[in-house]
Amino acid sequence: MSGGDDALLFDGRSAGARAVDVEVSGDALIIHAPGEDVREWPYSTLEVLDRGNGLRLRSSADPDSRLRLSNSLSDQLFRAAPKVFSSGGRNRDQLALIAALTAGAAAIGAVLFIGVPLAARPLTLITPPSAETTLGANVSGQLALIYPRCEGPRAQAAEQAARPVLDRLYNSQFEPFELSFHFADTPVPNAMALPGGYVMATRGLIETLDHPDQFAAVMAHEIAHVRNRDALTGLYRSAGLGLLLDLVTGGSGLGQQIILLAGQATSLQYTRAQEARADEDALRLLEASKINPTALAEAFERMQTWSAGQETAGPGEIDLPEWLSSHPDTDKRIERARAVGDKGFASSLSQEAWETIRNACSD
Ligand SMILES: [Zn+2]
């Protein structure tokens, strides 16, 4: 399933890295490098070196080599062997975080005296992006248990079709994170930004929207959350010191499991202030990227129509998308986005690309 460019192997003998195929099996990573014997790295031998642009690992079974996994392979590894991400002592991320926390003693003082909610934002600011990416990989792995990823050739084609628009809105060279994007097979129209640049859009969303610019507008809103690191702030606010301790100590990871499974992802909800700012940023970002900003208003309207249709289906049976439930002033937000006015830009994606996106989760 993994394409050749999903993983790179540095074997310590040749100068460069080679593209290899990596299989995430029951108890080991199986590495197929062209023209040589298969390498087996048991999960118990793995050590995470760092994260950022992918996940870098080594194995005591093959001490000279280093392996870099794509975020999608790293997600698979998290699902197969979550311990790899939390055991084995402190890695560089955690040491960097401890250093940052020491330097940010004032913010820690704020935690002790005013409690986490008000200190959540300062805590985000002193958290190194690499530590946030590690957390994002964990959260993304957990979220996949609730919202299964759309997989297979159509999902891959759809992710590729969405790339040009994501790249227009987000230039990772100037941002703390690479953007990792995928579709989830869930009927509720929703999109979510997780810590560390992980963004997800549901099947329900692409079925509910009827123009690629509306999809771009939803993505612009999520990308604004990524840039503002809102998800991490939200998690600090709701999970507080437990999360902080987990990040610092590389603890059992239990705190992080509890966040999503007990909270049913509600801990990823944002405050009204964060939402308002993400809307404003999205409108500016769309205009700067020459994508029609009024598409944000249309996206809201489509989702409102969807949710009005659901209410007749019987209360308690649907869970309202985060997009509307944490956005109580939807009418006001529509008005605001309409006020920017149609800029007469061409459609952000071809009809063909849009069809490919809409088929992301149909096998
Ligand atoms: Zn939002």
Side-chain angles (χ1 to χ4, degrees):
M1 216 196 76
S2 50
D5 57 353
D6 278 353
L8 290 173
L9 181 73
F10 304 79
D11 64 9
R13 290 185 295 260
S14 46
R18 288 180 296 158
V20 291
D21 269 317
V22 172
E23 234 178 275
V24 180
S25 80
D27 52 6
L29 287 177
I30 316 285
I31 304 163
H32 302 268
E36 68 172 54
D37 289 343
V38 169
R39 298 173 192 228
E40 228 184 285
W41 287 13
Y43 295 145
S44 58
T45 68
L46 296 183
E47 186 193 346
V48 172
L49 295 171
D50 60 53
R51 300 194 56 95
N53 185 14
L55 172 75
R56 283 204 321 131
L57 290 164
R58 74 170 159 215
S59 160
S60 54
D62 189 0
D64 291 336
S65 302
R66 303 282 181 277
L67 186 67
R68 200 181 86 192
L69 300 182
S70 67
N71 287 326
S72 128
L73 273 172
S74 154
D75 273 1
Q76 288 179 42
L77 177 62
F78 176 78
R79 273 174 270 162
K83 272 199 174 148
V84 170
F85 291 80
S86 54
S87 64
R90 289 171 180 166
N91 62 26
R92 255 199 268 163
D93 286 345
Q94 286 144 4
L95 292 175
L97 180 59
I98 291 166
L101 290 175
T102 310
I108 300 303
V111 175
L112 298 176
F113 294 108
I114 59 181
V116 167
L118 287 173
R121 181 67 186 156
L123 283 173
T124 294
L125 295 177
I126 60 165
T127 303
S130 58
E132 184 177 337
T133 307
T134 302
L135 175 69
N138 288 2
V139 173
S140 173
Q142 290 173 47
L143 198 71
L145 303 172
I146 309 170
Y147 301 113
R149 258 179 119 108
C150 300
E151 281 172 336
R154 288 199 177 172
Q156 280 174 11
E159 284 168 22
Q160 257 173 35
R163 256 301 144 187
V165 100
L166 297 174
D167 289 345
R168 253 162 96 175
L169 295 167
Y170 188 87
N171 184 342
S172 60
Q173 277 184 303
F174 303 106
E175 307 290 349
F177 316 108
E178 290 288 319
L179 195 70
S180 306
F181 173 74
H182 73 270
F183 293 98
D185 196 358
T186 306
V188 177
N190 208 352
M192 234 180 244
L194 310 181
Y198 288 82
V199 172
M200 172 273 259
T202 64
R203 168 167 60 80
L205 179 79
I206 46 184
E207 285 169 357
T208 302
L209 302 181
D210 66 356
H211 192 281
D213 287 355
Q214 295 165 10
F215 172 72
V218 172
M219 290 298 102
H221 175 97
E222 296 308 324
I223 281 169
H225 282 313
V226 168
R227 291 171 129 176
N228 297 331
R229 303 177 76 185
D230 283 340
L232 182 63
T233 305
L235 286 178
Y236 273 134
R237 192 181 302 111
S238 59
L241 285 173
L243 173 70
L244 188 62
L245 289 175
D246 251 16
L247 279 173
V248 172
T249 61
S252 60
L254 200 62
Q256 296 168 18
Q257 303 286 351
I258 288 164
I259 292 166
L260 278 174
L261 297 181
Q264 291 294 314
T266 49
S267 36
L268 289 171
Q269 288 192 357
Y270 301 121
T271 62
R272 251 181 230 211
Q274 284 177 317
E275 289 303 345
R277 190 172 60 164
D279 279 356
E280 287 306 315
D281 289 358
L283 293 171
R284 270 200 307 273
L285 190 56
L286 286 164
E287 191 170 351
S289 311
K290 304 214 177 310
I291 301 171
N292 212 352
T294 51
L296 185 63
E298 292 166 23
F300 276 123
E301 285 164 350
R302 299 290 304 174
M303 282 197 249
Q304 254 187 341
T305 307
W306 176 91
S307 100
Q310 295 300 307
E311 270 152 19
T312 56
E317 277 170 27
I318 32 142
D319 70 296
L320 202 62
E322 178 268 336
W323 249 72
L324 295 180
S325 61
S326 59
H327 299 168
D329 308 319
T330 308
D331 289 332
K332 213 177 279 171
R333 298 174 77 194
I334 290 173
E335 221 172 278
R336 170 74 194 101
R338 283 254 175 254
V340 178
D342 194 314
K343 303 287 172 184
F345 297 129
S347 174
S348 58
L349 284 170
S350 68
Q351 196 55 35
E352 193 191 350
W354 177 232
E355 284 309 315
T356 306
I357 288 172
R358 292 195 98 190
N359 281 318
C361 305
S362 51
D363 10 75

